[in-house]
Amino acid sequence: MSGILRAIVILATAGTISFPTQPPDQSNPVQQNGSARRRAVGAPTTPAKPQFAVSQLEYYLNDDGIAYIRPGLKIKLNSITIGADRKPVVDLNLTDNFDQPLDRLGKVTPGVINPSFILAWYNPATREYKSYITRSATGAANSPNPGVKVNQATSDSGGKWVDLEMGHAKYTFGNALPEGFDQSKTHTLGVQAVRNLTVEIGKNYIANLEYDFRPDGQKVTETWAKINDATSCLNCHDKETFGFHGSSARRDVKLCALCHQSQTIDPDTGNSVDLKSMIHKIHAPGELTKPFVIWGFNSSIHDYSEVTYPQDVRNCDNCHEGTVPAQKPAQATAFLENPTRNACGSCHEDINWTTGANHPAGPQPNDVACATCHVPDSGEEFDASIKGAHTIPTKSKQLAGLKAAIVNVKDMAAGLSPTITYKITDGKGNAVDGSKLSTFSPIFAGPTTSYTNYYRENAVGKGVFDAATGTTTYTFTAKTPTSASGTWVVSADVYKTNTLKRADGKPDITNVRDAAMNPIKYVALDGGKATPRRMSVAIAQCNSCHDKLALHGGQRLTTEECVICHNPTMDDKAQRPADRGAPESISFQRLIHRIHSGLELDQDFTVYGFGKSEHNYNEVTFPGDRRNCLKCHVNTAAYAVPPAKGAAPVITLRDYFSPQGPGTAACLGCHDNQDAAAHAYLNTTNFGGTTTAEACGTCHGTGHEWGVDKVHAR
């Protein structure tokens, strides 16, 4: 049935339940002392008709299920009034994703809804909130601070509900605002609501809302707008799972800021949970001298020292300004213009502000002098300015910048040694002699159905530079196998090592690699049309969380090159010590799934790299929902089973069985327990030949009851 008909079913069902009245006018939702009047309203608008994606559980419901569940939850604020008793009254509507009313009590429509409210006023001088409502918290008997009492910001409690009609209710706060509260200050009402449908559909619906107003009715001019979570937090975290405090009802960063300010500390540890301090500490465990620990509800201990932050912590812009310039928050430069001991000291925690230890400027009794030395941007790098102090060497403007392209491929045919011509330029477009770089390593591999042949040679001092054309040519010593066929690929690792000057007079930073994006060109050995390697993962998606993923010394910058070496036949035997057992596969689908499963793995996952360095990934904490396959994959076809024709089996000597079919190797990358392995093993055969046949698609193919898309839906 079409989406439109589905919506009609829902509207018809809703119509048999109730006839909701039109909600109050919202042109002036803030009322003081109940003096404002509502205007007359017009006819209701046509309800929205949402379409569900294959990644959503609702996509797999039939029309009756959709009509019954009434998916979604929206909060619509009609007004907030503050009467003579100083108790705020909130008038709101609760609707589903089709804009139809929901029963707050869950008796007429499924799912009890429990909204809660936070009210705080904003101080523009400190750019902090202060909540009107607090609670007393006491350090647990077994905590580092037993019996210690503190006040913490919290949501209102003890209030009263009045249901006006289905989906329309009023809430009167249980707490009154203090006498003489400043009505000229910006106030923010935060609303969080959970609609519990875990029994009916296996998920909760969550909605957050923040509303700025002045109780005196005047225009709001001062607001908190430091972070746009859509272009910062959600680059790594998934919207559906980015939530905190039990039911994960608190998702919007602005909602978090209403409580997580300097007025709130953890009584059990004495640690501040002020947002600007807490978030820095959570995301920078490698910079801290001691673990950052918070004791939460029911004495649950949250130790953030195991957090694996996936990019350089000096990427301040990625969180404060976000990665979409057009959606930069209004106060994006707050971290540049308002340095404080609290914010800066959360990462630089070895500084003693009283004695001045580890702080060149000495003791700092307050924040008054911070901006004197720590100006936003001096124009220099590696100095005391905020921009300069957080310069990432590989992003330094002292680097010339390299670009590489493949302009010609000759003799790419079975039994011949390919000759490749590269065009390498600096950031200004000047030609660069590849043979004089720190690394110039041409690569060719094939076939693109699944790479099983891989050749990388050192061309430094061997390539031929043509000054007239500005190109560097290299002929491989290796030959394409005589049995080779299909499409092959050509690439290169290209970088120059640099020394960077520091503006603060400290020793120069040496051995900084300025690497070019690895060029990629596909060539058909028979001279016909090339068939590129299937694209399962794009580097842009990796970089949404990793910022600039550069591996193996910063010279491998695109997934199209990663899969050349990380192919079904490759493992770590060249680096693994003999006493560490069988080699570990580094085939891309297994490697990446296991790295990002980290703490969730049943098996040990340790890979030995260059110089026999040991890399154990069992401590990795993935910041999103692993069921969100599209977070990494380019489309649903990229992870559908059966895999692409020609994909090779993977040698997995450290797993329960080997080889594993290409689909099995991918799935067991996350589902690494023995039961899953047994299931895959029993559904794999080779029919007496060398080709691995998997039955995965029979049950897990798209459209099937246990389809990959369906079982990963959220």
Side-chain angles (χ1 to χ4, degrees), residues 60 63 157 251 310 329 343 353 431 444-445 488 521 526 530 577 610 613 696:
Y60 302 95
D63 292 317
S157 60
R251 292 182 172 178
W353 302 109
F444 77 102
W488 283 51
K521 186 175 181 63
D526 62 3
F610 185 74
S613 55
C696 308

Side-chain angles (χ1 to χ4, degrees), residues 670-684:
C670 290
H671 305 281
D672 74 322
N673 60 69
Q674 191 173 45
D675 292 344
H679 172 74
Y681 180 74
L682 291 172
N683 286 278
T684 305

